[in-house]
């Protein structure tokens, strides 16, 4: 009787599930055919042939960070190589026109595009804002990117789709519903084994609140959530036809999560080293003031408070009356109101530590002003833990500053490494080691500092625009066959 009751309940449920699955498959297939039909009906070019549409998913393309430099260099590279290609950028920057965005790319990065770019302006970018998801942020943003990706696909169905900002959950959407060849450039894995270890070890960081680390139950729950997310992230990422990563550190994490080694390659981001190489390198003349310059967006992971605290410690331990005086110059881009609030908090921290007169904030400055600050600086400062690459680190080295970066991630593995057996810069980890190392750099003779600066400059040629163009074209070639 029990068996019959079970069968009578189970069989209809299985039958209904099967019908629903078939309906879903038919619906998705119909959507795919409809999108393909829309694509075929799109306008042809002047020669009668429809141009190949290559779309980049970059909702914050008007921001001034290293990721945006990669985007504009990638577009310029494709425009140089392929004639019958139209580049499309999906963006949520509706407060600027396409012309203003392109002009901004030239002003900030010194990148001039060869042909016009088609911009597809998205209305639902708020769905990928971290502020919308105070809890389960990774999952919330990833699901939000699916809706944003769907809006993008409906507005413009491309032939080739490249996620250039780390929204991996959009990849299967464009591959299976859009019928696109898909690739991605990964600046930073959305989740990494390092993040799992932070939660497992109950470490307090900007993305692991104290109330979670203090509770074994919350920590275990978050660990299960992270493992589930890592599994899903690996699943969607493995759908890529081409995977480009920006450093050895990112490569290691993506290989372990996505298991797509056959189509994964390291493509170092393009650093505008050439623009800094005309800054003359010479033994510093005695000056009344030395500057320490930091170049990075005002985001929490960049850890600007560490820079300010280490600088305050350096000033405190500096002998009274010792010359020259020191200035810390924080240069970076502000993307939104949260970034601006972050800058205000940093200014308050300066006041608390009594260093307001010695710390200067320069926000969203033009390229020429950035170059001038770097030309005048003695130390280039970087403090992000597990920075995926570090374009700002390379720029500081190319400009001739003595770099002091975080002893982790890209700076440790790829950038601040010995060149021809000689030192190219320094690494530190905490407030004390940063302050001590800055003091040590200032204690060196100008001649010794010049030797380090010259060697660092020679080492950064492997991060040039030309090297990026060559490796990028080699990596994306399978998408154009």
């Amino acid at each position: 009787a029990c068996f019959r009751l079970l069968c009578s309940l189970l069989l209809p449920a299985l039958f209904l599930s099967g019908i629903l699955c078939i309906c879903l498959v038919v619906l998705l297939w119909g959507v795919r055919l409809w999108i393909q039909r829309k694509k075929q009906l799109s306008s042809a070019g002047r020669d009668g042939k429809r141009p190949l549409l290559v779309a980049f998913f970059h909702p914050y393309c008007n921001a001034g960070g290293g990721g945006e430099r990669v985007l504009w260099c990638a577009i310029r590279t494709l425009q140089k190589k392929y004639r019958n290609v139209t580049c499309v950028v999906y963006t949520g920057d509706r407060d600027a026109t396409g012309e203003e965005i392109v002009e901004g790319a030239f002003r900030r990065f010194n990148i001039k595009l060869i042909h016009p770019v088609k911009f597809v302006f998205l209305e639902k970018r708020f769905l990928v804002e971290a502020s919308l998801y105070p809890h389960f942020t990774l999952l919330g943003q990833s699901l939000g990117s699916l809706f944003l990706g769907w809006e993008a696909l409906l507005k413009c169905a491309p032939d080739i789709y490249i996620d250039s900002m780390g929204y991996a959950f959009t990849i299967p959407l464009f591959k299976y519903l859009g019928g696109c060849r898909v690739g991605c450039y990964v600046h930073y894995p959305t989740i990494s084994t390092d993040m799992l270890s932070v939660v497992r070890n109950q470490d307090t960081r900007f993305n692991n609140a104290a109330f979670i680390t203090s509770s074994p139950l919350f920590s275990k729950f978050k660990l299960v959530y992270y493992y589930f997310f890592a599994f899903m992230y690996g699943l969607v990422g493995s759908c890529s036809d081409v995977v480009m990563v920006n450093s050895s550190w990112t490569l290691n994490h993506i290989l372990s999560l996505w298991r797509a080694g056959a189509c994964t390659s390291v493509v170092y981001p393009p650093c505008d080293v050439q623009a800094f190489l005309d800054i003359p390198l010479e033994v510093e003349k005695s000056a009344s003031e030395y500057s320490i310059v930091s170049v990075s967006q005002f985001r929490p992971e960049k850890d600007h408070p560490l820079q300010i605290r280490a600088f305050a410690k350096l000033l405190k331990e500096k002998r009274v009356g010792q010359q020259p005086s020191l200035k810390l110059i924080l240069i970076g881009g502000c993307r939104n109101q949260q970034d601006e609030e972050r800058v205000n908090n940093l200014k308050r921290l300066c006041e608390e530590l009594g260093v307001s007169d010695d710390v200067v904030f320069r926000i969203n400055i033009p390229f020429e002003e950035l170059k001038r600050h770097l030309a005048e600086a003695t130390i280039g400062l970087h403090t992000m833990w597990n920075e995926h690459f570090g374009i700002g680190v390379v720029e500081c080295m190319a400009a001739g500053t003595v770099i002091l970066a975080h002893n982790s991630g890209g700076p440790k593995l790829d950038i601040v490494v010995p060149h021809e057996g000689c030192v190219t810069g320094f690494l530190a980890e905490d407030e004390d080691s940063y302050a001590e190392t800055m003091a040590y750099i200032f204690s060196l003779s100008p001649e010794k500092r010049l030797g380090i600066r010259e060697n660092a400059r020679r080492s950064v040629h492997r991060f040039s625009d030309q090297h990026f163009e060559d490796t990028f074209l080699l990596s994306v070639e399978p998408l154009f066959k």
Side-chain angles (χ1 to χ4, degrees):
C2 285
F3 178 73
R4 256 179 296 178
L5 178 65
L6 193 65
C7 286
S8 66
L9 291 171
L10 199 60
L11 287 174
L14 285 171
F15 179 73
L16 188 61
S17 299
I19 293 291
L20 287 173
C21 284
I22 291 167
C23 289
L24 184 63
V25 168
V26 169
L27 177 66
L28 292 175
W29 186 252
V31 169
R32 181 187 162 101
L33 289 176
W34 173 64
I35 290 170
Q36 293 300 307
R37 181 75 178 143
K38 269 181 75 178
K39 196 189 291 187
Q40 286 165 4
L41 292 172
S42 59
S43 59
R46 289 177 191 172
D47 57 358
K49 289 182 183 176
R50 193 180 72 84
L52 196 70
L53 287 183
V54 182
F56 290 84
F57 191 75
H58 210 104
Y60 295 90
C61 76
N62 204 29
E68 287 67 58
R69 187 164 214 290
V70 171
L71 169 71
W72 301 118
C73 268
I75 290 172
R76 184 179 63 184
T77 303
L78 292 180
Q79 289 181 343
K80 276 187 196 175
K81 168 78 175 176
Y82 297 101
R83 279 186 149 189
N84 195 38
V85 156
T86 296
C87 289
V88 177
V89 177
Y90 298 118
T91 179
D93 293 300
R94 293 186 298 147
D95 55 346
T97 64
E99 291 79 14
E100 286 169 343
I101 293 171
V102 171
E103 173 57 35
F106 177 64
R107 188 171 54 85
R108 288 180 186 132
F109 307 119
N110 207 25
I111 295 171
K112 194 155 187 69
L113 300 180
I114 300 161
H115 304 297
V117 170
K118 179 182 175 185
F119 288 93
V120 175
F121 290 94
L122 307 175
E123 293 169 26
K124 296 183 176 65
R125 189 177 72 178
F126 67 91
L127 292 174
V128 296
E129 293 276 359
S131 57
L132 193 63
Y133 312 99
H135 307 294
F136 301 100
T137 311
L138 294 179
L139 190 60
Q141 284 183 291
S142 298
L143 292 174
S145 73
L146 271 175
F147 287 100
L148 192 63
W150 176 243
E151 182 192 346
L153 184 58
L154 288 183
K155 285 185 172 178
C156 176
D159 302 291
I160 295 170
Y161 171 78
I162 299 173
D163 164 41
S164 53
M165 210 180 161
Y167 293 106
F169 281 72
T170 63
I171 292 167
L173 185 71
F174 278 83
K175 183 171 185 171
Y176 298 115
L177 284 186
C180 310
R181 282 157 280 170
V182 295
C184 59
Y185 188 97
V186 184
H187 298 276
Y188 197 80
T190 306
I191 191 164
S192 66
T193 49
D194 289 331
M195 288 166 71
L196 292 168
S197 68
V198 163
V199 179
R200 197 184 301 111
N201 299 333
Q202 294 179 243
D203 293 341
T204 303
R205 289 191 183 265
F206 78 91
N207 58 354
N208 198 36
F211 81 89
I212 290 175
T213 58
S214 61
S215 166
L217 181 65
F218 281 159
S219 288
K220 281 188 174 60
F221 179 76
K222 185 166 185 178
L223 194 60
V224 170
Y225 158 57
Y226 266 21
Y227 272 114
F228 166 73
F229 186 84
F231 170 74
M232 294 301 294
Y233 182 60
L235 213 59
V236 296
S238 64
C239 298
S240 296
D241 300 314
V242 163
V243 181
M244 293 166 280
V245 297
N246 65 344
S247 69
S248 305
W249 182 86
T250 308
L251 175 70
N252 295 335
H253 287 286
I254 288 298
L255 288 179
S256 70
L257 289 164
W258 291 12
R259 304 187 187 282
C263 62
T264 304
S265 56
V266 176
V267 178
Y268 287 131
C271 306
D272 197 8
V273 295
Q274 203 57 46
F276 296 103
L277 294 181
D278 60 354
I279 295 173
L281 280 195
E282 51 196 31
V283 176
E284 303 151 32
K285 299 179 183 76
S286 57
S288 60
E289 183 178 277
Y290 282 148
S291 65
I292 301 159
V293 169
S294 158
V295 182
S296 59
Q297 283 186 309
F298 289 101
R299 303 207 306 255
E301 63 271 23
K302 298 296 182 181
D303 206 352
H304 288 91
L306 174 56
Q307 298 179 2
I308 294 166
R309 285 196 299 270
F311 178 68
K313 196 174 185 69
L314 175 70
L315 289 185
K316 191 179 176 184
E317 292 175 1
K318 195 164 154 284
R319 289 192 298 276
V320 179
Q322 183 183 331
Q323 291 296 324
S325 62
L326 302 177
K327 270 272 189 285
L328 174 62
I329 302 171
L330 303 179
I331 298 172
C334 273
R335 304 163 298 171
N336 49 37
Q337 197 177 334
Q338 285 100 320
D339 286 357
E340 286 165 17
E341 183 56 39
R342 208 165 283 120
V343 170
N344 291 332
N345 290 337
L346 292 172
K347 287 177 179 175
R348 280 193 284 272
L349 177 63
C350 291
E351 286 170 17
E352 287 167 25
L353 296 172
V355 294
S356 290
D357 294 340
D358 305 299
V359 180
V360 178
F361 290 83
R362 303 298 296 129
I363 296 157
N364 296 333
I365 61 173
F367 180 76
E368 285 306 315
E369 190 180 338
L370 164 70
K371 192 172 166 181
R372 180 172 58 77
H373 282 299
L374 285 176
E376 294 168 357
T378 301
I379 294 176
L381 194 59
H382 162 276
T383 46
M384 179 177 166
W385 172 72
N386 271 341
E387 169 79 81
H388 35 299
F389 179 71
I391 286 181
V393 174
V394 174
E395 289 178 344
C396 286
M397 290 166 76
T401 69
V402 179
I403 191 67
L404 173 55
H406 199 282
N407 189 24
S408 62
K412 180 184 180 179
L413 295 175
D414 293 312
I415 306 171
V416 191
V417 294
H419 177 67
E420 295 174 356
C422 298
V423 172
T424 57
F426 299 90
L427 299 167
E429 290 182 8
D430 54 26
E431 193 179 312
D432 291 337
S433 60
Y434 270 100
E436 284 165 20
T437 311
M438 283 191 280
Y440 172 72
I441 293 168
F442 284 121
S443 75
L444 294 172
S445 69
E447 290 77 20
K448 275 201 171 175
R449 280 202 293 266
L450 178 63
I452 294 168
R453 292 158 64 209
E454 286 176 337
N455 201 50
R457 179 174 273 190
R458 282 192 295 269
S459 77
V460 298
H461 283 286
R462 67 194 191 281
F463 306 123
S464 65
D465 282 6
Q466 188 56 54
H467 190 264
F468 169 81
E469 288 183 11
D470 296 341
T471 51
F472 177 77
L473 286 173
L474 205 61
S475 297
V476 298
E477 200 177 351
L479 300 177
F480 289 84
K481 284 180 179 174

